[in-house]
Amino acid sequence: MGAWDSGPFDNDSAADWCGELGDAGPEDRAGVVRQALLGAAESVDYLEVDEGSAAVAAAAIVAAECCGGPPVTSAYAPDFLREGGGIGLSDDLVPLALRALDRVLGEDSELWELWEEADDGRSFLAEIEPLRAALARGTSG
């Protein structure tokens, strides 16, 4: 994984996934987000870095769009989101995004293992916690 920073969009895998999201037609984008979240949340095997990174980026988008979470401002996020556009995500993605983040931060997750090795996961957790908090607010409302 080429990591430039600990933000949800700031590694090669997340940037590649964001490219796919940006290239998808507007009518297909919600499905791309859902698939990224399902890929992590329903994984019972070792969660590879690509799937984990895509899930974190997707969860950040759900948090921003559905829950008033941190805005999508990374240069590596899709242009249409940075320019204030949206996807029209349904609220049922909020609990799925939480499950996906839990899986990324759990056992048998390559992304989490890489961040644990780097700095005990501190910088990665500092980026994930605001997402989790926004998503948690979104499930209680």
Side-chain angles (χ1 to χ4, degrees), residues 72-87:
V72 177
T73 58
S74 171
Y76 306 106
D79 291 340
F80 74 93
L81 290 174
R82 285 186 291 112
E83 294 165 357
I87 299 175

Side-chain angles (χ1 to χ4, degrees), residues 2 16 18 23 28 32 34 59 63 75 90 94 100 105 113 120 130 135:
D16 289 346
C18 285
D23 291 343
D28 297 324
V32 173
R34 183 178 299 277
S90 61
V94 174
L105 295 174
E113 289 174 4
D120 290 328
L135 291 165

Side-chain angles (χ1 to χ4, degrees), residues 58-111:
I61 292 168
V62 172
E65 186 165 320
C66 298
C67 306
V72 177
T73 58
S74 171
Y76 306 106
D79 291 340
F80 74 93
L81 290 174
R82 285 186 291 112
E83 294 165 357
I87 299 175
L89 299 173
S90 61
D91 289 341
D92 72 316
L93 291 178
V94 174
L96 181 59
L98 275 170
R99 284 183 34 227
L101 288 179
D102 287 345
R103 179 64 181 91
V104 168
L105 295 174
E107 292 182 22
D108 293 328
S109 169
E110 185 178 16
L111 183 59

Side-chain angles (χ1 to χ4, degrees), residues 6-79:
S6 54
F9 304 99
D10 301 341
N11 63 67
D12 290 336
S13 298
D16 289 346
W17 180 81
C18 285
E20 291 174 28
L21 180 63
D23 291 343
E27 69 283 355
D28 297 324
R29 291 175 177 158
V32 173
V33 171
R34 183 178 299 277
Q35 281 307 117
L37 296 172
L38 284 170
E42 295 183 348
S43 174
V44 294
D45 297 319
Y46 188 76
L47 185 64
E48 301 288 340
V49 70
D50 290 344
E51 289 78 18
S53 297
V56 171
I61 292 168
V62 172
E65 186 165 320
C66 298
C67 306
V72 177
T73 58
S74 171
Y76 306 106
D79 291 340

